[in-house]
Amino acid sequence: MPAARRRKGKGGVITVPDATPSEDTPSESKDSDTPTDSEPDPKDANDDERRRRRRRSARLLQLYVPRLPVVSSTFVVILFALLAPLADRAYHRLATEGRLASDVASVTHRVGRFQVKWDINELRLSVLHNRGDKCKDDCAHIAWSTVPGLPFLTAANGPVRVHQLMAGHYRVDIRRRLQTTVQTLDSVELKDDDDSPSVVIRGVLIKEDARLDRWLGHLGDVSAAWNDLTHQRQQFKAASKIKARYTLTFSPQSDRRLAFEFRWEDEVPGVQRSPGGRRRNVKINQIFMRYAHTPDERIYGLGEQYSSLEHNGKRLPIIAAEQGIGRGKQPTTFMFNRMFFGSGGSWHTTYSAIPHYVTSKARSLFLTNFSYAEFDFTDDEKISILSTTPTNRLTGQIIGARNVPETVEAYTEYSGRMGPLPEWVYAGGVILGMTGGSKRVRDVVAKLKDADVPLAGLWLQDWGGARNTSIGIERVWWNWELDESQYPDWRELREEAAAGGARLLTYVNPFLMDASGSKGRLYREAKERGYMVRTVHGGVYRLGSEPGVSFGLLDLTNPDARDWIEDIIVRMVDETGASGWMADFGEYLPFDCKLHSGEMPVAVHNRYPEDWAELNRRALRRAGLETGSGDSIGGDGVFWSRSASTLTPKHARLMWLGDQLVSWDAHDGMKSALLGMLQGGLSGLGVSHSDVGGYTATPGRHRTRELLMRWMELSALSDAVFRTHQGNRPLHNAQPWDTPELLDHLGAFARLHRCLAPYRRELMRESSLTGMPITRPLLMHYAHDPVASNVATQFLIGRDILAAPVMDRATPRVHVYLPPGDVWLDVWTTQLSPIQPTGANRDDEDADDFDSRNHHAGYGAWVTADAPLGWPAVFIRRGAGKPAQAAAAAMREWAMERGGLPGHRRVYPMDPVEKLVLGLY
């Protein structure tokens, strides 16, 4: 027999036949009668071929088969891909465990233009809205609906802990110990009292034994299972469960808004384990509202959300807080969270959390409570809202509308609408933000004058004095009195500014700094009078944002404190002659403080921003800087706010997007500022702006000239007001007056912003009448298009102008999506955009979503536009209104004054390979 060699491979020992003949093998002779090599045996040839194949297979196994297949990375990835969807579905099934029980017959009640419908066959409660006279056939559509067979209201008990991190930063930890699993619907009644019809639904929320506990009990004790069948045992079990009665009331507020109110027993007897056993009362402090949602429905809104345009798959908390430094941008966020205890923030932290959302199908709902809430959109088939209201009452409203603009109009009927600004604010040029005292201000103003930069105002944030902090940033003194050492000739400075057509503006916030001498005078006065938020032990609740500095927060639930700080603001205007101010902060109310009104802080925290805005609005009127109301507001005064809640649009004059990093990124940079503006506009914050160039510089990161210039281009198009800021580290950041090139760029885009003033005037008038924002996301008018409704780096100015400024470093071009249903023209050249032939390319499922004036609709298309520094991409809709056409003509005149467009500029179809790489197909 031939010998064999043993070879050890990675997958084990493989035996390979030896090709060398052994000594026992007889030699072959030419004279032999046996077959020779020239006459091979076919059988042997087949055997050799099989052996060769086995050897090749063995080598492949050595190369590709690991010893332990279970730990293969490929195996793990495949296993995860298979099990993740199953685990997700299991999680949601467990999280929403429960059932709806009822024997009430199907019924439909009409209240105004709404119908409340109960279907016993599907165990579903629905709210339908009649779209109005424009519909020809069936005008009712579902505005809100529960999930068939599942409870739409769940009560729970458990600790709700709010961890106070660094001042203004919070982490909320909510746990559930007991949760009802069964909801009964016992009656659906129509009440028509005093011409105000309402539908009242009553039932009970029940904590049923978990299914697994019931099964184990039956298996473990057969006699107990038998006893459970007796009448006495069933009576005891029914009486021993946690039960909370509830009432749900629907009442119309307008043709497009239906209010709902949940009331429940907030304290009920707990579970009784045995007859005669002790029952502890259970406080119900968490309430869940769950209802149906379709997987193809995209969700937007919830105030100024800076990280996501579309909220599907996310859970968002409703809590006003400091935005943070980085908000997920690494390693910046990690560093600040570790060094300053949570100050890095997170992807969902925002100054303006508003409990109102809108979907691509024009379904919308908002809460009117101010307590902490969470909106959970992680399930494709239902939406869940958690509220931690300290009272046994959850209120909100359902909106019925045909399209997204109508939902915004209906929502702002409740929240209020922002009115037109004084003309000098948006048409006078740049409002220059700076610090440093009288001499420095005069030096900078002289540079702007020499460069022919139109100047509308000087915002002097350090009017009360400035200081350099221990962490290397510049901060102002929070004492709200003029610092005559900083500005010894304030009156003369104001007169010089007025001679040049500019106004002075100041700064205020609801804090008072604890300091010695004159800088702490107001703090000591407020402390003595009890005007600041207190600890549970009665002392001033001291907050701190940096080492060695502490300050108190005014208690706006105290009427005397409100009057006192309002008097101080009015006195500030009288003494300084200011035409406006920044009304900063409003998000810092601690959750463990004691308030003058006796209210729980959790019920007031999200209300504080609108209380602060309302106070500033009263001061503006008292100072004589505002008259009139609505679209006929008069006066020359303005203030701008950072924080917001539901009713802020009723009180605020102008919004500002807060403290972004001096960076390009989408976490906390320029892109996030635009996204926050677009989202806020869906919740009534329709007149807004950002700090040109951003605010927050961190160690190793400062504002570059290119970033500052590109931000000027963005703000000239997107912002209601063109206002700059030095930033927290002025000496490290590029400033608009640093070089002739920057001054020229500032002047050019201040004039461009001024070119759009007549158009913005019309848009602000529209905003005061309908609530529509000046700057709008594409989804506002193209919600039917999944591409347009997910674009966050371009925007509409009103209905007719589309802008796509460059928002990336060292990029001389920009990719632009031109949405379907319209034909777009390049503003600078009036040329028709490429690859957009006329023809319908949209979903005509609801013709009311489409502007019927457009008889020649265009296809949606990606194009690439050359956008060298100084020339952002701007398009206008064919058939645009006269104000938009006049604005486009003014922009072309502006371009001619600058010498015309660069000769090589083009707009052309986007490269298919680039589209593929960027995932745009």
Side-chain angles (χ1 to χ4, degrees), residues 442-454 743-744 751:
R442 287 189 173 96
D443 292 342
V444 171
V445 170
K447 290 183 179 181
L448 267 65
K449 185 176 180 180
D450 292 341
D452 195 26
V453 176
L743 280 169
D744 180 69
R751 285 188 289 273

Side-chain angles (χ1 to χ4, degrees), residues 10 40 104 135 225 366 594 624 657 661 751:
K10 292 182 180 178
V104 177
C135 290
F366 64 93
K594 186 176 181 181
L657 293 159
L661 287 175
R751 285 188 289 273

Side-chain angles (χ1 to χ4, degrees), residues 8 61 105 107 159 308 325 354 396 402 457 508 580 590 619 657 707 771 820 862 917:
K8 190 172 182 179
L61 287 173
V107 64
S308 64
I325 302 174
I354 298 176
R402 296 175 298 174
V508 72
L657 293 159
L707 174 68
W862 282 99
V917 171

Side-chain angles (χ1 to χ4, degrees), residues 117-135:
K117 178 181 179 181
W118 165 248
D119 189 333
I120 184 60
N121 298 317
E122 294 186 351
L123 289 176
R124 180 170 68 173
L125 181 68
S126 303
V127 171
L128 290 82
H129 178 250
N130 188 319
R131 299 189 177 209
D133 300 332
K134 291 184 180 181
C135 290

Side-chain angles (χ1 to χ4, degrees), residues 169 321-327 342-346 349-351 659-661 668 696:
H169 300 269
E322 270 281 4
Q323 173 182 266
I325 302 174
R327 301 184 68 257
S343 62
S346 182
T349 48
T350 175
Y351 312 106
D659 303 337
Q660 278 75 45
L661 287 175
D668 192 17
T696 306

